[in-house]
Amino acid sequence: MTRVIDSLCICQKCNIFSLCNISVFLLYRKFASGNIKAVYTDCAINLEVLGLKKISQVMKIRPSMITVILCALIVGWLIFLKPIHGYSDNGDFQSLMATNDLYRTHQIPAGYVSPHFGLMQYYNPLYLKQITAQTAVIHIAVGLNRLFYSRSVFDIRFLGAVYYVLYLGGVAVLARGLVGGERRLRHYLMAAAVTLFVADSSFTLYFNSFYPQALTFILMLYLAGFALLIMRGKTLNKWLTAGLFLSAILLLLVHESTSLLILGILIVSIGIFRLPDCQWRHGSAVIICLLLFTCWVSANHITREAREMNKYQAMTQGKLLAAAKPAEIAKTSHIDGQFSLMKGESYYPTAYTALAPDSDYTRKNFTQQYNLPWLIHDYLTHPHQFGLLLDKAAKNTMVLRPRLTGTQEKRTGSKPFQQTHYFSLFSYLAGAYYPKTYGFNCLLAVAVLIIYGSGLMRGSKKEQQLLKAHLWLVSGLLSVVVLVPPATIMLYGTANFVIHMLPVAVCLSLTGFILLSDVVQHQLWGNSNAT
Amino acid sequence: MRLKNSFLCLLIVVVMALVLGKTTVQAETVDQRPVMLVYDSKNIANHGDLNLDRCQRLLASLGLPVETIPLSHYQANTLKDGQYQGVITMVNWGQSRNRNQAFERDRTAFKGIKLHIGPGLQADERQGLGGTFKTLVHQQLSGHQGRAVQPLSTNQLLLVNVKHAANALSVGWLTSQNHPGTTYSFGVKVANNGFLPELSSDGLAITLAGQLITKLFKVPTRLQSPLLTITGITPYTKSRDLSRLIKQLSSRGTPFALSITSVDRNTDLKAFHRYTEVLRLAEKAGGLIFLRPPIETGTQRLNEKKLRSVFQTELTSLGADRVIPAGISAPGYWNRSERRQKAVLSRASHVILLPDQSQRLEELPVEPEPAVTNSHRFKAGLIGIPLASLDTVAYRSKIKFVQPTALLVKMPESRTKVDQLVQHLQDSKLQWFDPVRNHLKTTVKVGSVLYGYHSGQYFLNHEPITDLDASRKASSRNDDRITQTSWLNRVIQWQSRMLLWLLSFLGLILAILLLIGWRVYQRKFMRSDVKKGGINHFK
């Protein structure tokens, strides 16, 4: 019996319910009979006593850990349990699947999530034709699938699981960076708010799909989390810094449009390199060169078809869409005015078109007749049109779900293109109430910078250091918010906003949370002794 | 007695009239039963699918509905005397030697018309046809129809009828360059049995096949001239080239038709009206417009309802600009698909069936075709044959077209090519189908609107259209779209803009105040701090 009490002491020390259970289990193993009853009662009393204390002190779980556990439960339920949820194919999967040796085993009607895919068994000429950061993730998932499930059928949940693990790591890093290690009530509230953002189903549904947005989102969590953690630390932690740059490089390599984040990443890196104890002065130049090179590779390492598509849609879903008299493009270029009828057309029309956008005729008479400098010049001479498109981009920034997709598996009685409303408060509020003009985003950027600037002017030297670093981080994020929309319109038009604008939406939200965290932790306005 | 005689005469007349009337009525009713087309393989690698499509279009142009079944899918007792007019066995892949015992048994028992196309003639068919057959290997053969001669493009194995049965009727003949003396008959008809060595893309072979099928199935036909059809006209075709082509054709008195595609969006743009303007020019020059449904792309296909609405939008927007289509032109597979047939093709009395695009083995079809397909018949179906397939024919003007035919020419891409095409047409010496002289009468029904054409005159809901340009003048004022926004939207727009200005104004003031504050702070407290700090630092 003394041994039992000894064990209970340990149990009291750890104070955690789950560990309690483990100790009980161990006791059960030790004393196979007789003493078990006593152990249970003791443990129950123990818990009752503990329950009276404040939760934060009892649980001894950090708020960031709570965020991770909540996210694990919320997202795990959504993507792993049958019927599984994800995003259905809107036509983007085909090339990604083909380059990763996957294929569609049977015809699933559009608007339903397909849970299973085939693994190609023979030579595939398209294999690894297009390598992105996503390829690595898909390969890990396929490897796990081969090991544990099947060599011929791929279950999408293996991909979901790889994303899930990466995501939980990202959430942990971000939550720790934003909320810190303290256990006050406000930190728990902050953790709850962060959960609302990171566990939103609009983001997490991407895990059970082949869209590149999943990895973009996860890596942005890592990037911001690592940056915050580094800035929080008293000395520059080289592992955190390595993590930051690794996630930055991977983020640049996810999709050709994520290469536009380079400016934001560079600003954040400068913020890191300017930390007082940074000894990487020489290494910094190398890292910046590496980042720039990665950006160049990512932007140029795309198939000819993708290049043609971007060029075509930059015109049809950009310039032509904004112009009141689109036929006037004939005045400044060699394009026949008749091509203004392609206004709004996608490179892959849904079902019908008068003239295929990828036909030789279109290429010869339309796509080859203009280039990016012409487009930039044209937008400069018609700023009003550009303004319209920027507002359109702003309107779509907070639309986080891809169009023409469903989120459910095909079951009896389910309709195609149905979208779940599970845990989507954040995306609903952001989509419905966030102002939908580009000018507002610019003003917001200026306002946030003024707030940080004014915070920097007062405050002690130690706080100044943190705020200065945060100012760099926030200006990096805001540079994405301000500069990515115009670049996107020039390069891709208004097509596929959901891929191109996701980083903007995430950056905007992260800025908001960093600001909130600094306000909550009294780093911006007075009362600094409170922390 | 006289009364009796006259009554008898009257009776005889009445009976005669009844009998004659009945027989004429019987002659007019066309056999509604379909023709069963059984093929061994599509043989996509050798474009056998195109041969199949050609056969289906040829039958449709002759007014014969077709039910196509792959040999492997044939179920015993499907082929019954009462249900099918005839059966066509098409062998696309001779080496494969696909057999289906049930089919061969049913075919032997079948008493209707039997036609075999290609190699692999079975015993029951040989028996029906009589004579002897021989396989020619790698010989350059020429097909003959009267004086017209064309070297055949095939140089694979070709099964030909060497010795005729006594009651055999041959359609066209073949000569070999290796042995100029010997001739083989091309198409063979023995009572209800027929044989064709191939149905290739050569123009002459198609016309010969048409003749044989006409004779076999006793289709009432008469010789007709082919319709010159310019294909591949889109709203993006250079309007200058198109109008040049139209003017040159009309000035040379060549009747023509245009197979056009249109758009279902952006029809309010100036470019669309410019397109319809050129099409009206064609109408005024006597050209017929055949609307081609849009090209199918992407990974999804529309259902019947949506497809119909797309097609209706296109027709209505064209009709609003007084471009009245005389019919529809569509690739062969549109006629094999129930949905496309119902939504689009059944709307028109006249349909040009264009050749299918060749499938590629590595490219999976977006929407796989069902194994058994039904091709429908039209009031008038025209088989589309590329004019280029007649280029190698000597004495082209002597070709006889028994089936309604459209000879297809692709729209040239430049001005010089337009001139070359017109010259080429001039040289071809073909007699073209003239819709005015032949009193062509067509209808296209869309929704509640009926477009009509009758020997040069266009009709809208049976009302003749006197001035094709009339509606254009009225609508030309609204060329440039004026978007009318509702007052609520305007208020919201105005409000958001005002809010932006207000915010930026406040921000500016805030920034100025902040700067002033900073200055005051600096003047009052900072100077000493800075000095101190500086000294400390230097220490």
Side-chain angles (χ1 to χ4, degrees):
Chain A
M1 197 61 205
T2 46
R3 276 187 191 177
V4 177
I5 290 162
D6 276 350
S7 295
L8 271 175
C9 286
I10 295 163
C11 180
Q12 270 173 338
K13 255 182 213 164
C14 74
N15 264 348
I16 292 168
F17 176 61
S18 57
L19 285 185
C20 246
N21 273 341
I22 291 168
S23 65
V24 169
F25 179 67
L26 288 172
L27 285 171
Y28 174 71
R29 292 280 305 264
K30 270 186 177 172
F31 308 95
S33 61
N35 298 327
I36 309 160
K37 223 178 207 175
V39 173
Y40 266 124
T41 33
D42 282 1
C43 221
I45 293 161
N46 185 15
L47 278 173
E48 204 175 296
V49 172
L50 296 174
L52 294 172
K53 295 181 187 173
K54 273 176 87 177
I55 302 171
S56 57
Q57 287 169 353
V58 177
M59 303 284 277
K60 288 224 169 169
I61 301 178
R62 292 205 183 89
S64 55
M65 211 53 210
I66 287 194
T67 307
V68 175
I69 290 167
L70 281 177
C71 286
L73 295 176
I74 293 165
V75 179
W77 188 87
L78 184 72
I79 62 171
F80 292 130
L81 294 187
K82 282 234 161 206
I84 61 161
H85 290 75
Y87 284 122
S88 69
D89 185 9
N90 67 356
D92 288 1
F93 287 7
Q94 191 59 50
S95 65
L96 248 171
M97 288 197 312
T99 52
N100 288 296
D101 260 4
L102 292 165
Y103 67 95
R104 212 179 292 281
T105 40
H106 50 279
Q107 205 76 22
I108 282 217
Y112 290 111
V113 176
S114 160
H116 294 111
F117 295 89
L119 285 169
M120 291 186 192
Q121 306 288 326
Y122 303 106
Y123 172 69
N124 170 21
L126 290 172
Y127 182 59
L128 293 185
K129 213 62 201 252
Q130 174 85 22
I131 299 177
T132 63
Q134 222 189 336
T135 315
V137 177
I138 295 176
H139 269 80
I140 294 170
V142 169
L144 290 175
N145 186 88
R146 286 221 163 100
L147 209 60
F148 295 114
Y149 180 58
S150 161
R151 300 186 74 83
S152 57
V153 179
F154 177 67
D155 192 317
I156 188 83
R157 279 178 290 179
F158 278 96
L159 184 62
V162 177
Y163 278 137
Y164 181 71
V165 171
L166 286 174
Y167 161 79
L168 288 182
V171 169
V173 173
L174 179 74
R176 191 67 204 270
L178 272 178
V179 186
E182 286 158 84
R183 298 192 195 96
R184 284 164 194 265
L185 183 65
R186 56 169 182 256
H187 293 105
Y188 283 98
L189 289 178
M190 184 69 204
V194 173
T195 311
L196 217 56
F197 161 57
V198 290
D200 194 285
S201 67
S202 300
F203 298 119
T204 55
L205 280 170
Y206 281 117
F207 297 171
N208 269 346
S209 76
F210 291 102
Y211 293 107
Q213 285 98 312
L215 202 56
T216 311
F217 173 65
I218 292 169
L219 288 172
M220 287 185 82
L221 297 186
Y222 273 107
L223 191 71
F226 278 131
L228 283 167
L229 277 181
I230 292 167
M231 290 162 182
R232 217 171 244 280
K234 289 190 179 72
T235 53
L236 193 75
N237 184 328
K238 59 182 176 191
W239 292 112
L240 290 178
T241 317
L244 173 86
F245 287 113
L246 186 67
S247 53
I249 284 172
L250 287 176
L251 180 60
L252 288 174
L253 287 172
V254 171
H255 188 247
E256 80 254 22
S257 69
T258 54
S259 62
L260 292 177
L261 302 179
I262 183 69
L263 195 67
I265 290 172
L266 284 182
I267 292 175
V268 175
S269 328
I270 292 169
I272 302 284
F273 295 137
R274 283 180 64 95
L275 284 174
D277 57 343
C278 178
Q279 292 153 358
W280 294 26
R281 306 269 156 172
H282 299 292
S284 61
V286 176
I287 289 174
I288 286 177
C289 286
L290 189 65
L291 285 172
L292 285 172
F293 176 71
T294 316
C295 166
W296 177 82
V297 166
S298 168
N300 287 289
H301 176 67
I302 54 172
T303 56
R304 188 165 153 265
E305 198 182 356
R307 209 184 296 268
E308 289 276 333
M309 177 184 80
N310 292 338
K311 195 177 179 190
Y312 178 83
Q313 290 178 345
M315 186 67 157
T316 56
Q317 302 204 353
K319 166 71 192 150
L320 290 179
L321 207 62
K325 292 179 184 173
E328 284 183 359
I329 49 165
K331 284 183 188 166
T332 52
S333 65
H334 294 294
I335 305 169
D336 191 345
Q338 289 300 111
F339 279 95
S340 61
L341 284 173
M342 284 193 170
K343 176 179 170 178
E345 189 156 345
S346 149
Y347 192 71
Y348 300 107
T350 319
Y352 293 93
T353 176
L355 181 65
D358 52 355
S359 64
D360 287 335
Y361 187 83
T362 318
R363 202 168 296 140
K364 196 174 149 204
N365 293 291
F366 185 55
T367 330
Q368 285 177 0
Q369 300 297 330
Y370 62 89
N371 48 21
L372 190 62
W374 178 84
L375 212 56
I376 293 172
H377 180 258
D378 195 86
Y379 279 132
L380 287 177
T381 48
H382 300 94
H384 176 67
Q385 293 176 9
F386 198 54
L388 277 179
L389 294 175
L390 282 175
D391 277 350
K392 205 171 159 125
K395 215 175 269 179
N396 283 280
T397 303
M398 285 296 174
V399 178
L400 300 171
R401 297 185 172 206
R403 284 188 313 128
L404 290 175
T405 55
T407 62
Q408 277 154 13
E409 265 186 273
K410 188 171 165 59
R411 279 178 298 160
T412 46
S414 65
K415 284 180 189 159
F417 300 109
Q418 269 189 337
Q419 298 225 340
T420 176
H421 297 295
Y422 172 80
F423 212 82
S424 53
L425 183 71
F426 175 80
S427 55
Y428 169 73
L429 290 178
Y433 298 109
Y434 185 78
K436 294 177 175 64
T437 48
Y438 177 71
F440 179 82
N441 284 353
C442 293
L443 272 181
L444 190 77
V446 173
V448 171
L449 291 181
I450 286 177
I451 290 172
Y452 272 93
S454 65
L456 206 59
M457 287 170 187
R458 50 190 318 284
S460 67
K461 201 166 184 194
K462 189 197 152 213
E463 277 168 3
Q464 260 192 346
Q465 193 193 73
L466 184 68
L467 271 187
K468 210 185 268 178
H470 276 197
L471 177 64
W472 280 104
L473 175 59
V474 165
S475 42
L477 295 175
L478 288 173
S479 73
V480 170
V481 174
V482 173
L483 295 176
V484 164
T488 299
I489 286 166
M490 296 279 188
L491 292 172
Y492 313 112
T494 62
N496 239 341
F497 264 147
V498 76
I499 288 187
H500 303 140
M501 286 291 134
L502 185 91
V504 176
V506 176
C507 282
L508 209 53
S509 316
L510 284 173
T511 311
F513 279 105
I514 291 170
L515 188 66
L516 187 70
S517 130
D518 283 346
V519 170
V520 165
Q521 295 177 31
H522 302 291
Q523 268 150 6
L524 272 175
W525 287 292
N527 200 14
S528 46
N529 297 333
T531 50
Chain B
M1 192 63 196
R2 257 181 76 189
L3 197 72
K4 209 177 174 182
N5 266 345
S6 61
F7 179 74
L8 204 69
C9 280
L10 194 73
L11 200 73
I12 287 166
V13 166
V14 167
V15 168
M16 285 285 282
L18 272 176
V19 169
L20 277 176
K22 206 166 183 185
T23 49
T24 50
V25 167
Q26 267 174 349
E28 272 171 17
T29 52
V30 192
D31 200 342
Q32 293 288 342
R33 291 173 302 165
V35 176
M36 183 187 279
L37 174 58
V38 181
Y39 65 94
D40 61 335
S41 156
K42 277 199 176 166
N43 196 4
I44 293 170
N46 286 331
H47 304 303
D49 53 325
L50 297 187
N51 292 345
L52 192 66
D53 163 65
R54 203 171 292 121
C55 184
Q56 285 157 339
R57 288 185 298 125
L58 182 61
L59 291 166
S61 73
L62 289 168
L64 297 166
V66 191
E67 189 181 321
T68 312
I69 304 175
L71 191 63
S72 53
H73 281 66
Y74 180 85
Q75 308 257 327
N77 297 324
T78 316
L79 185 64
K80 279 182 189 155
D81 278 327
Q83 284 172 11
Y84 294 93
Q85 279 190 57
V87 56
I88 299 178
T89 316
M90 190 165 192
V91 178
N92 260 332
W93 192 10
Q95 292 92 326
S96 78
R97 299 185 202 288
N98 284 344
R99 299 281 288 267
N100 183 334
Q101 301 292 340
F103 172 64
E104 280 166 27
R105 217 176 306 124
D106 287 353
R107 186 178 55 191
T108 317
F110 185 65
K111 292 198 177 58
I113 300 153
K114 296 173 200 171
L115 173 63
H116 183 99
I117 303 174
L121 211 57
Q122 297 301 327
D124 61 314
E125 293 171 306
R126 280 177 198 268
Q127 203 181 354
L129 287 163
T132 47
F133 288 84
K134 177 181 165 189
T135 306
L136 300 181
V137 187
H138 292 292
Q139 293 208 12
Q140 183 56 62
L141 296 162
S142 297
H144 296 255
Q145 182 201 58
R147 285 183 71 189
V149 189
Q150 182 174 32
L152 298 187
S153 52
T154 341
N155 57 2
Q156 290 178 337
L157 306 179
L158 205 64
L159 187 73
V160 290
N161 189 231
V162 186
K163 203 173 158 195
H164 296 180
N167 54 345
L169 176 80
S170 78
V171 177
W173 69 93
L174 293 167
T175 53
S176 165
Q177 284 187 355
N178 306 21
H179 314 283
T182 49
T183 58
Y184 314 100
S185 53
F186 187 80
V188 184
K189 176 183 178 289
V190 183
N192 260 351
N193 302 300
F195 170 77
L196 270 177
E198 63 164 7
L199 187 52
S200 64
S201 58
D202 302 308
L204 201 71
I206 300 172
T207 57
L208 286 173
Q211 281 180 13
L212 179 72
I213 292 170
T214 320
K215 282 180 181 148
L216 259 178
F217 288 89
K218 301 179 185 69
V219 183
T221 46
R222 56 197 170 82
L223 292 184
Q224 26 199 332
S225 322
L227 176 69
L228 172 63
T229 311
I230 317 289
T231 59
I233 294 166
T234 67
Y236 312 106
T237 305
K238 284 173 196 138
S239 45
R240 214 175 303 152
D241 292 349
L242 183 55
S243 45
R244 185 181 175 84
L245 178 64
I246 292 166
K247 279 174 196 157
Q248 295 220 19
L249 287 176
S250 74
S251 70
R252 283 173 167 76
T254 315
F256 62 94
L258 306 178
S259 162
I260 65 153
T261 46
S262 184
V263 285
D264 62 323
R265 292 191 304 172
N266 296 326
T267 51
D268 49 354
L269 291 182
K270 206 170 185 172
F272 182 75
H273 299 308
R274 212 180 301 146
Y275 179 50
T276 54
E277 200 178 314
V278 184
L279 296 180
R280 276 200 305 280
L281 185 73
E283 286 180 323
K284 282 180 269 180
L288 295 177
I289 308 283
F290 281 82
L291 180 61
R292 192 193 165 176
I295 299 159
E296 296 185 323
T297 55
T299 52
Q300 290 177 33
R301 294 287 174 261
L302 299 187
N303 59 22
E304 189 189 326
K305 200 175 144 199
K306 281 188 190 154
L307 179 56
R308 186 181 293 150
S309 96
V310 166
F311 189 67
Q312 272 190 10
T313 321
E314 289 193 0
L315 267 178
T316 329
S317 56
L318 284 175
D321 276 12
R322 289 289 186 268
V323 175
I324 312 289
I328 294 168
S329 57
Y333 73 91
W334 281 69
N335 195 26
R336 293 196 294 273
S337 138
E338 195 75 24
R339 173 167 56 90
R340 297 184 181 92
Q341 222 280 336
K342 273 189 189 160
V344 177
L345 301 191
S346 63
R347 315 264 128 202
S349 62
H350 286 61
V351 175
I352 299 181
L353 292 168
L354 306 173
D356 271 355
Q357 287 288 320
S358 59
Q359 279 180 33
R360 279 191 292 174
L361 270 177
E362 68 273 17
E363 236 172 55
L364 284 174
V366 173
E367 186 192 45
E369 225 176 46
V372 177
T373 57
N374 286 298
S375 299
H376 297 253
R377 36 175 295 179
F378 307 97
K379 192 179 158 205
L382 287 85
I383 178 171
I385 305 172
L387 180 67
S389 70
L390 293 176
D391 276 352
T392 50
V393 178
Y395 302 104
R396 226 167 298 171
S397 51
K398 303 287 179 203
I399 305 176
K400 287 172 193 147
F401 295 92
V402 285
Q403 74 280 14
T405 310
L407 288 183
L408 312 173
V409 181
K410 238 183 129 41
M411 175 68 204
E413 280 185 22
S414 68
R415 202 183 136 135
T416 44
K417 283 182 184 162
V418 168
D419 295 343
Q420 280 169 11
L421 173 66
V422 173
Q423 194 55 47
H424 180 69
L425 291 174
Q426 186 90 350
D427 297 341
S428 72
K429 292 193 182 115
L430 279 164
Q431 181 68 42
W432 298 106
F433 177 82
D434 189 344
V436 179
R437 209 181 301 150
N438 290 289
H439 305 292
L440 182 74
K441 193 176 177 184
T442 74
T443 53
V444 177
K445 190 169 166 45
V446 49
S448 56
V449 186
L450 185 80
Y451 298 120
Y453 172 87
H454 188 199
S455 8
Q457 175 67 53
Y458 287 94
F459 295 88
L460 187 65
N461 287 336
H462 305 292
E463 297 278 325
I465 298 169
T466 45
D467 185 5
L468 281 171
D469 285 334
S471 72
R472 179 73 198 118
K473 281 167 200 153
S475 70
S476 62
R477 263 172 263 129
N478 325 327
D479 254 6
D480 299 319
R481 193 168 39 142
I482 303 149
T483 42
Q484 284 279 336
T485 45
S486 74
W487 66 269
L488 189 69
N489 273 345
R490 252 179 293 164
V491 166
I492 290 171
Q493 274 173 12
W494 175 83
Q495 186 203 6
S496 66
R497 202 166 297 158
M498 277 315 290
L499 215 66
L500 268 183
W501 282 116
L502 193 75
L503 275 175
S504 45
F505 181 65
L506 286 178
L508 199 71
I509 288 178
L510 205 76
I512 291 169
L513 283 179
L514 207 71
L515 209 70
I516 293 170
W518 172 244
R519 285 260 174 83
V520 170
Y521 179 75
Q522 215 176 17
R523 212 168 34 234
K524 282 195 172 172
F525 305 106
M526 273 303 252
R527 198 163 293 163
S528 52
D529 277 9
V530 167
K531 270 180 188 169
K532 257 188 210 167
I535 291 159
N536 284 341
H537 187 73
F538 282 118
K539 271 179 182 175

